[in-house]
């Protein structure tokens, strides 16, 4: 191509056949040389542009962001779900209520349920076609699931399509939904040609009259204008910047001509339809008509009406100026101009114009969410993906990432944290927005992260406290000490007395350590279960020192805590820092009976075409024997029944049998609560970013968030399976002696077989000799002892 340019211009400038004076000939020769050099440079530059364009378009591949999905709701008879909750799920998936829900993504209420039509969706195990369905409800549960048709068919299970919760975008946060030209409705192409480039199918890429008009206004000092064809617009968007200058315009013209030389009108038009910028969603840029259709009308492009298509085409001139949400009046005027131009070209009739002009804009009114409404969770997903994938692939290959996020659980977690922090600040006269917090919730057995809140401003993509905040955990560390003790049934049971008298501990490399209890009192001999329930520091420290600090701290890596705390006695009481998600991993193992399941936020990854790429299977490792963990769970249930977390019953019924632990650090800087039910494990942290005192204990701060959250989530009761090594023994809660079988005056406590008290009381309160010959005497039962006895009876019966 470069050679053709040179031959042409060389012939044009061959002036030797003309007869001029010697001076003029010399001057002409110089001009010819300069012109040839300029033309050589121009042809070289044009050749460079030509190569650039062909390389880009021959291998043209739009950078497609990774699409991130939440969990797909699985519906089945017996599922705890109300009609209102199910409609919330449908609305989160952008379903619309219709009198007759025959179209995909529509629903209606029926006498005792919901009738709806689902969408097509491609899962990792194959495509799922749209279905017309009905769900019936009774007593807060799904009672029936049917596929509607000529003959209704009962279904055992329905998997709803998962909600899109975000994306991982290219460098400029561009997002698009690619379309083939044959997928684009003809009215949209007609509208686009009518208002943007009427000669598109006949010109060579430029409009000479438009360029001349723009050049005249520029030279005369008026505003620089475009006069651009669709091809020029595509060049500007695909290759150039939005700079308004003559040099940029010249490049645009040259590249448009070259583009038209090599590619068909259909290829150029299809690329334009996918490339054009059509709006901003927070930090996400909306490109192409495919995505814009969903962003403004929540429907695919082929389901838009004429007036909606005209609204989108009208935005091409200026998405900010004609934004139908922010500037509806301007958008409406521009839409009607588009419709009028279509009448002028006779692509629609006057009657169609009149009907479309009378309709409202019809855009869906939703607040922009930026790249994701769940930035903290998406950040965690992104970090996990970076272990296996290159960053450029995550931002350009259109991966489809299926995660574990449960939007309903996430909503309740966000709401509880925001609401309770505001209430605490008001009640304690703390300046507004002083307190911060974080929440992590996972499923008990699968270790799937269902919700993750990085701060009280959950939509703010800033500091992720759930993952990154390293805070002293205080008494949340104590269960590791007690588990270590309970693994030695010959020495320790739930009834073993512990010494809670003053302690001074000397250790090389640090000053003498004198732990104090929160109430600044010492309690003498206390049973092991009582020491944990009331979170006594001194007896816990003595127990840990007796067991061996290294023995206890060496357990933490097995439970998923990679960073080993310093080997000081204060570490026994949680004087080391963990993030909320690390604490979640620790308590996940307690909740799952000693089986460690690494927490995961991703289930599987598909390619842009829907082919399975990677699955994240469940990895389970037993790191503690089930029997000691069962005893620990019983003791942690005691924390809630009679210990530091007993006010949790203000939010949750006692029948849930919650196991949990409060945590409070020095000077009330950190407030923690970690706990689990039959199907949920959750950790809450409350404090201040400046590390000043929050003025809150674990019970007065984090636990109240936990209770409010779980009240709305409605978890399953905690009823752990009893290991074979465990036996239930009827004992006296005060003396710790065994009752005769059949006595109903005692309480049932779990023991590892062979570790239960050997001393036996006479039936129902009478004295008896123990096995060593010492006489065990009973004391009159006071009110507090009776309450303890009744509590344990309820706990283990």
């Amino acid at each position: 191509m470069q050679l053709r340019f040179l031959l042409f211009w060389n012939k044009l400038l061959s002036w030797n056949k003309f007869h001029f004076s010697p001076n003029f000939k010399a001057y002409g020769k110089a001009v010819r040389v300069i012109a040839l050099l300029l033309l050589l440079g121009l042809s070289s530059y044009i050749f460079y542009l030509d190569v650039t364009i062909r390389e880009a378009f021959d291998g043209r591949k739009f950078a497609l962001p990774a699409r991130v999905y939440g969990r797909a709701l699985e519906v089945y008879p017996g599922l705890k779900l109300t009609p209102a909750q199910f409609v919330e799920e449908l609305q989160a998936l952008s379903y619309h209520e219709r009198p007759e829900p025959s179209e995909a993504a529509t629903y209606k209420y029926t006498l005792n349920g919901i009738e709806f039509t689902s969408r097509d969706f491609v899962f990792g195990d194959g495509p799922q076609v749209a279905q017309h369905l009905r769900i019936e409800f009774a007593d807060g549960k799904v009672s029936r699931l049917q596929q509607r048709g000529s003959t209704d068919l009962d279904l055992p299970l329905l998997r709803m399509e998962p909600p899109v919760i975000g994306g991982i975008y290219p460098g400029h946060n561009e997002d698009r939904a690619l379309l083939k030209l044959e997928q684009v409705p003809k009215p949209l192409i007609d509208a686009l040609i009518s208002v943007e480039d009427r000669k598109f199918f006949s010109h060579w890429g430029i409009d000479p009259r438009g360029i001349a008009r723009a050049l005249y206004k520029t030279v005369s000092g008026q505003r620089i204008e475009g006069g651009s064809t669709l091809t020029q617009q595509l060049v500007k968007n695909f290759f150039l910047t939005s700079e308004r200058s003559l040099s940029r315009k010249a490049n645009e013209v040259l590249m448009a001509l070259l583009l038209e030389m090599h590619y068909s009108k259909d290829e150029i038009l299809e690329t334009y339809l996918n490339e054009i910028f059509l709006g901003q969603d927070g930090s996400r840029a909306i490109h192409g008509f495919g995505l814009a259709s969903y962003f403004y009308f929540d429907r695919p492009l082929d389901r838009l009406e004429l007036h909606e298509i005209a609204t989108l085409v009208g935005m091409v001139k200026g998405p900010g100026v004609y934004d139908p949400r922010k500037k509806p009046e301007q958008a409406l005027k521009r839409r009607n101009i588009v419709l009028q131009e279509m009448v002028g070209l006779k692509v629609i009739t006057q009657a169609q114009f009149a009907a479309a002009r009378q309709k409202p804009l019809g855009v869906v009114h939703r607040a922009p969410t930026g790249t994701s409404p769940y930035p903290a969770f998406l950040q965690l997903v992104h970090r996990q993906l970076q272990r296996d994938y290159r960053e450029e692939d995550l931002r350009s290959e259109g991966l489809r990432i299926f995660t574990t996020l449960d939007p309903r659980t996430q909503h309740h977690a966000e709401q509880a944290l925001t609401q309770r922090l505001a209430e605490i600040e008001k009640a304690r006269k703390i300046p507004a927005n002083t307190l911060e917090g974080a929440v992590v919730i996972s499923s008990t057995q699968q270790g799937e992260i269902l919700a993750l809140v990085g701060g009280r401003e959950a939509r703010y993509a800033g500091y992720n406290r759930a993952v990154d905040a390293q805070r002293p955990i205080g008494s949340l560390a104590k269960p590791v000490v007690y588990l270590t003790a309970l693994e030695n049934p010959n020495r320790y049971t739930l009834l073993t007395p512990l010494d809670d008298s003053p302690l001074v501990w000397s250790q090389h490399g640090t000053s003498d350590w004198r732990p104090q209890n929160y109430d600044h009192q010492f309690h003498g001999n206390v049973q092991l279960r009582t020491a944990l329930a009331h979170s006594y520091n001194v007896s816990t420290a003595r127990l840990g020192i007796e067991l061996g600090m290294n023995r206890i701290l060496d357990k933490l890596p097995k439970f998923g805590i990679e960073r080993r705390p310093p080997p000081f006695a204060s570490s026994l009481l949680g004087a080391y820092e963990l993030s909320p998600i690390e604490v979640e991993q620790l308590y996940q193992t307690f909740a799952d009976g000693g089986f460690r399941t690494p927490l995961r936020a991703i289930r599987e990854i598909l390619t842009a075409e829907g082919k399975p790429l990677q699955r994240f299977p469940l990895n389970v490792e037993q790191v503690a024997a089930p029997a000691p963990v069962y005893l620990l769970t019983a003791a942690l249930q005691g924390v809630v029944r009679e210990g530091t977390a007993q006010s949790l019953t203000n939010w949750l019924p006692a029948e849930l049998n919650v196991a949990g632990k409060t945590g409070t650090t020095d000077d009330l800087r950190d407030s923690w609560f970690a706990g689990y039910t039959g199907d949920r494990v959750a950790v809450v942290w409350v404090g201040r970013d400046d590390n000043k005192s929050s003025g809150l204990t674990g019970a007065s701060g984090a636990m109240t968030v936990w209770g409010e959250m779980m009240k709305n989530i409605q978890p399953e009761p905690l009823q752990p399976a009893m290991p074979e090594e465990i036996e239930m023994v009827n004992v006296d809660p005060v003396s710790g002696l065994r009752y005769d079988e059949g006595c109903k005056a005692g309480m049932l406590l779990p023991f590892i077989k062979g570790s239960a008290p050997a001393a036996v009381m006479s039936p129902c309160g009478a004295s008896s000799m123990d096995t060593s010959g010492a006489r065990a005497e009973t004391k009159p039962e006071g009110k507090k002892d009776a309450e303890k006895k009744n509590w344990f009876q309820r706990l283990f019966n």
Side-chain angles (χ1 to χ4, degrees), residues 282-568:
S283 60
R284 180 176 65 140
I286 306 299
H287 283 259
F289 285 94
L291 182 61
S293 177
Y294 283 102
F295 181 63
Y296 292 107
F297 299 104
D298 202 19
R299 295 199 306 282
L301 195 61
D302 59 6
R303 287 179 53 198
L304 295 189
E305 298 181 31
L306 176 60
H307 68 286
E308 295 166 331
I309 286 174
T311 299
L312 292 183
V313 172
M315 296 179 64
V316 170
K317 187 175 181 180
V321 177
Y322 302 108
D323 187 322
R325 289 197 184 96
K326 297 178 180 178
K327 299 181 179 180
E329 292 183 3
Q330 291 93 319
L332 189 63
K333 290 178 182 178
R334 180 64 181 166
R335 181 201 73 177
N336 291 340
I337 290 174
V338 173
L339 292 170
Q340 185 66 61
E341 293 294 319
M342 295 177 74
V343 173
L345 281 185
K346 298 182 180 180
V347 293
I348 62 172
T349 66
Q350 189 67 38
Q352 287 175 307
F353 166 70
R357 186 176 182 179
Q358 295 302 316
K359 294 188 177 181
L361 287 171
V363 295
V364 292
H365 298 283
R366 61 187 179 112
T369 57
T371 54
S372 174
Y374 313 112
F377 182 83
L378 197 69
Q379 186 183 87
L380 176 65
V381 169
H382 195 176
R383 291 183 187 184
Q384 293 188 359
L385 289 169
Q386 285 174 322
R387 300 172 188 169
D388 302 316
Y389 295 91
R390 297 185 309 164
E391 187 67 19
E392 54 266 37
D393 293 337
L394 293 176
R395 296 183 181 274
S396 64
E397 295 298 323
L399 300 180
R400 302 174 64 208
I401 301 160
F402 293 82
T403 73
T404 61
L405 182 87
D406 183 335
R408 188 145 50 95
T409 301
Q410 176 76 21
H411 168 72
H412 291 312
E414 293 174 359
Q415 187 180 53
L417 182 64
T418 302
Q419 175 184 324
R420 283 299 305 150
L421 292 187
E423 291 172 352
I424 291 170
E425 287 172 343
K426 183 178 180 180
R428 293 174 174 263
K429 294 181 172 55
I430 300 172
N433 299 315
T434 297
L435 296 177
E436 265 297 349
V439 180
V440 185
I441 305 176
S442 64
S443 57
T444 299
Q445 295 183 331
Q446 290 78 25
E448 294 186 336
I449 298 175
L450 306 176
L452 187 139
V453 186
R456 65 190 296 171
E457 296 292 337
R459 299 291 177 267
Y460 174 62
Y463 183 43
N464 190 345
R465 295 165 188 82
V467 176
D468 296 326
Q470 300 290 325
R471 308 290 299 203
I473 65 171
S475 296
L476 295 190
K478 291 176 181 175
V480 181
V481 177
Y482 287 89
L483 177 62
T484 306
L486 293 169
E487 288 174 335
N488 296 274
N490 294 332
R491 295 183 59 190
Y492 299 100
T493 71
L494 294 178
L495 293 176
T496 300
L498 302 179
D499 184 0
D500 195 60
S501 61
L503 170 67
V504 178
W505 178 253
S506 298
Q507 186 174 355
H508 181 71
T510 184
S511 57
D512 288 350
W513 183 53
R514 294 177 171 83
Q516 299 290 319
N517 290 320
Y518 179 75
D519 59 6
H520 300 291
Q521 297 181 14
F522 299 96
H523 307 91
N525 283 337
V526 293
Q527 293 178 355
L528 183 146
R529 60 183 180 85
T530 304
L532 180 56
H534 293 281
S535 200
Y536 292 151
N537 289 332
V538 181
S539 50
T540 303
R542 284 185 179 276
L543 176 62
I545 292 169
E546 182 179 338
L547 293 168
M549 284 179 288
N550 287 330
R551 181 182 176 188
I552 294 167
L553 298 180
D554 287 345
K555 282 184 175 296
L556 294 178
K558 298 179 181 179
F559 286 83
I561 308 302
E562 297 179 358
R563 291 174 293 107
R564 194 179 190 278
F568 299 126

Side-chain angles (χ1 to χ4, degrees), residues 588-722:
Q588 174 78 34
T589 308
F590 298 155
D592 201 15
F595 291 87
R596 180 172 66 84
T597 303
L599 295 175
R600 58 179 181 147
I602 306 170
R603 288 181 174 175
E604 63 179 339
I605 300 175
L606 308 184
T607 65
E609 295 75 28
K611 296 180 180 179
L613 185 63
Q614 184 176 2
R615 285 190 169 90
F616 293 78
L618 194 66
N619 295 316
V620 181
E621 178 185 0
Q622 185 174 350
V623 296
V629 176
Y630 184 86
L631 298 181
L632 177 65
T633 293
L636 291 174
Q637 287 173 315
V639 174
V640 178
R641 296 282 184 169
E642 66 168 353
T644 57
Q646 59 184 323
S647 60
L648 190 62
T649 53
N650 293 332
W651 287 270
L652 300 172
E655 292 74 21
L656 278 179
N657 297 325
V658 174
K661 185 72 190 73
T662 56
T664 309
T665 61
D666 291 346
D667 300 322
L668 305 182
R669 288 191 177 94
D670 301 276
S671 169
W672 291 90
F673 187 79
Y676 48 98
T677 66
D679 60 344
R680 297 287 185 268
V681 185
V683 170
V684 176
W685 168 83
V686 171
R688 293 179 54 157
D689 287 341
D690 60 10
N691 202 34
K692 294 181 180 179
S693 175
S694 67
L696 300 171
T697 65
S700 62
M703 191 199 71
T704 69
V705 176
W706 202 97
E708 183 71 27
M709 178 175 67
M710 286 298 180
K711 178 184 70 175
N712 296 318
I713 292 173
Q714 299 179 334
E716 296 295 325
L718 176 58
Q719 297 172 335
M722 185 183 298

Side-chain angles (χ1 to χ4, degrees), residues 565-600:
F568 299 126
S570 58
S571 292
L572 299 170
L573 304 182
Y576 56 89
E577 298 177 344
L578 295 179
S579 66
I581 198 169
E582 289 176 307
V583 176
E584 180 79 9
Q585 182 68 76
L586 177 64
Y587 278 76
Q588 174 78 34
T589 308
F590 298 155
D592 201 15
F595 291 87
R596 180 172 66 84
T597 303
L599 295 175
R600 58 179 181 147

Side-chain angles (χ1 to χ4, degrees), residues 77-78 134-137 141-146 152 154-155:
R134 180 172 63 193
I135 296 182
E136 298 178 1
F137 301 85
K141 295 182 179 180
V142 175
S143 59
R144 194 174 194 182
L145 177 61
Q146 284 188 325
D152 291 345
D154 285 345
L155 299 177

